[in-house]
C-alpha cells in the first residue's frame, strides 16, 4: 500500500471513528437539551426525596451557589428547578433572601389534608378494583418492612416507608395523573409532619396501614375508603399546629 493509500485509509478510519463517537455520545442542540433536562430532574428529585424522607425540614436554606457546586450546573438551571419546586409548594422563594424549604401554615395544613383525603378516597377505591394477587403480595412485603423499621427504631426508614405505602396504593389505581397529584400532596404533608409532628412519632400508624390492606384483599371498597379516611384524619389530628414553626429567636419573630 502506498503512502497516499495509507493516508486515505487513515482519513476514512478517523472519519468513521468520529461518526461512531457521535453516535455513542451525541452532540449538538438536542444533546444539550437532554443534558439540561437530566440535570433538572436530578436536582428536583434530590430535593423532593430529601423532603419526603425528612432530611430537609421546613425552613432549610437552599443556597444557589452551593446547589450549583453540588450538582455541577449553572445558576440558570438551579433557578429553573427552584421555581418548579416553588410552583409545587415544596420550596418558598423569598425576595433578596433566596430559597428555603416551605413552611406550611395551619390554614394550608387543613387545605392540604382536605385535598389529600378526597384524592385518596378515589385512589383506594380504584386500587380495590384493580389490585392483582402480585400487588397484594408487594403490599404485604411493604407492611413487613414497615414493621421491621418500627422495631429497629429507624425513624428515617419508618418515615420513608410510611409515605411509600400511600404512593404504592396510588400506583395500584393505575391512573398516573391521579398518582402524580398524590405524590405532590404527600411531599407537602411530609413538610407538615416535619414542622408540626411531635418528635419521635411515626407519620403513619402501622396497624392502620395493615387494616387498609386487609380491606383491599377482601375487595371491600367501602371498608377501605372508611379506613383510609379515618387514618388520614387521625394523622391530621396528631399534628400540633400550635407549635412554633422551628426554634426561632425573638429577633426573628420580630422580623429584625
Amino acid at each position: 500500500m502506498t503512502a497516499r493509500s495509507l493516508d486515505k485509509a487513515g482519513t476514512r478510519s478517523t472519519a468513521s471513528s468520529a461518526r461512531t463517537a457521535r453516535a455513542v455520545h451525541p452532540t449538538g442542540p438536542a444533546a444539550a437539551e437532554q443534558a439540561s433536562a437530566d440535570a433538572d430532574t436530578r436536582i428536583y428529585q434530590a430535593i423532593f426525596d430529601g423532603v419526603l424522607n425528612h432530611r430537609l425540614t421546613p425552613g432549610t436554606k437552599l443556597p444557589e451557589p452551593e446547589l450549583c457546586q453540588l450538582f455541577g450546573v449553572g445558576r440558570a438551571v438551579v433557578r429553573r428547578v427552584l421555581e418548579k419546586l416553588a410552583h409545587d409548594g415544596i420550596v418558598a422563594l423569598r425576595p433578596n433572601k433566596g430559597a428555603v424549604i416551605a413552611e406550611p401554615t395551619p390554614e394550608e395544613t387543613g387545605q392540604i389534608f382536605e385535598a389529600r383525603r378526597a384524592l385518596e378516597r378515589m385512589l383506594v377505591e380504584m386500587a380495590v378494583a384493580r389490585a392483582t394477587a402480585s400487588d397484594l403480595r408487594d403490599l404485604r412485603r411493604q407492611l413487613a418492612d414497615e414493621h421491621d423499621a418500627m422495631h429497629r427504631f429507624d425513624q428515617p426508614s419508618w418515615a420513608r416507608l410510611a409515605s411509600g405505602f400511600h404512593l404504592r396504593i396510588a400506583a395500584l389505581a393505575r391512573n398516573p395523573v391521579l398518582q402524580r397529584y398524590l405524590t405532590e400532596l404527600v411531599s407537602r404533608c411530609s413538610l407538615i409532619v416535619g414542622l408540626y409532628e411531635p418528635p419521635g412519632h411515626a407519620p403513619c400508624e402501622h396497624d392502620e396501614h395493615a387494616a387498609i390492606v386487609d380491606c383491599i384483599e377482601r375487595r371491600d371498597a367501602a371498608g377501605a375508603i372508611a379506613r383510609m379516611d379515618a387514618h388520614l384524619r387521625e394523622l391530621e389530628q396528631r399534628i400540633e399546629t400550635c407549635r412554633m414553626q422551628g426554634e426561632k429567636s425573638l429577633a426573628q419573630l420580630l422580623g429584625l
Side-chain angles (χ1 to χ4, degrees):
M1 182 178 289
T2 65
R4 182 175 294 179
S5 299
L6 284 170
D7 183 56
K8 288 181 178 178
T11 301
R12 285 195 298 271
S13 176
T14 301
S16 176
S17 297
R19 284 194 298 272
T20 302
R22 283 196 297 270
V24 176
H25 302 290
T27 59
E33 187 177 339
Q34 182 60 48
S36 177
D38 291 345
D40 286 16
T41 301
R42 191 160 47 94
I43 299 167
Y44 186 101
Q45 201 62 43
I47 295 172
F48 183 90
D49 289 345
V51 168
L52 205 62
N53 297 327
H54 297 171
R55 292 191 304 271
L56 291 174
T57 55
T60 301
K61 294 179 181 179
L62 299 170
E64 287 183 14
E66 192 170 348
L67 289 171
C68 290
Q69 184 178 10
L70 285 171
F71 292 98
V73 297
R75 283 206 169 192
V77 175
V78 167
R79 285 174 182 168
R80 186 166 62 241
V81 174
L82 291 175
E83 285 170 2
K84 186 175 188 315
L85 287 161
H87 177 268
D88 292 344
I90 297 166
V91 161
L93 300 177
R94 306 173 303 174
N96 304 317
K97 291 186 178 180
V100 297
I101 299 299
E103 298 184 76
T105 65
E107 183 181 10
E108 288 171 328
T109 295
Q111 293 168 352
I112 289 166
F113 270 98
E114 184 178 50
R116 183 171 171 181
R117 285 195 305 273
L119 185 56
E120 291 214 56
R121 280 196 293 268
M122 286 190 292
L123 286 166
V124 77
E125 182 177 20
M126 294 163 74
V128 168
R130 298 172 183 177
T132 65
S134 175
D135 293 332
L136 289 166
R137 285 194 295 271
D138 288 342
L139 277 177
R140 291 295 179 189
R141 279 194 290 270
Q142 171 91 14
L143 291 177
D145 290 342
E146 276 186 27
H147 188 269
D148 181 57
M150 180 175 64
H151 285 276
R152 290 198 321 269
F153 301 100
D154 183 350
Q155 185 73 9
S157 294
W158 197 356
R160 175 177 53 80
L161 288 164
S163 297
F165 173 83
H166 290 268
L167 298 178
R168 188 179 290 272
I169 295 289
L172 300 188
R174 291 175 170 78
N175 185 313
V177 176
L178 294 178
Q179 184 179 353
R180 187 165 63 250
Y181 290 149
L182 182 65
T183 300
E184 179 186 332
L185 286 172
V186 167
S187 72
R188 298 186 73 178
C189 283
S190 293
L191 285 174
I192 293 165
V193 169
L195 185 61
Y196 295 124
E197 179 81 344
H201 284 59
C204 291
E205 292 295 336
H206 175 74
D207 290 345
E208 294 171 6
H209 283 182
I212 292 167
V213 174
D214 289 342
C215 289
I216 294 173
E217 197 165 39
R218 294 195 303 268
R219 306 296 177 184
D220 177 6
I225 292 168
R227 289 283 190 177
M228 182 65 80
D229 190 75
H231 170 51
L232 294 174
R233 288 182 186 278
E234 177 67 21
L235 174 58
E236 185 178 5
Q237 288 168 7
R238 289 201 303 271
I239 300 297
E240 294 183 1
T241 53
C242 61
R243 289 181 69 201
M244 295 295 293
Q245 297 189 12
E247 296 299 323
K248 296 183 178 179
S249 68
L250 178 60
Q252 288 173 310
L253 291 172
L254 294 173
L256 302 177

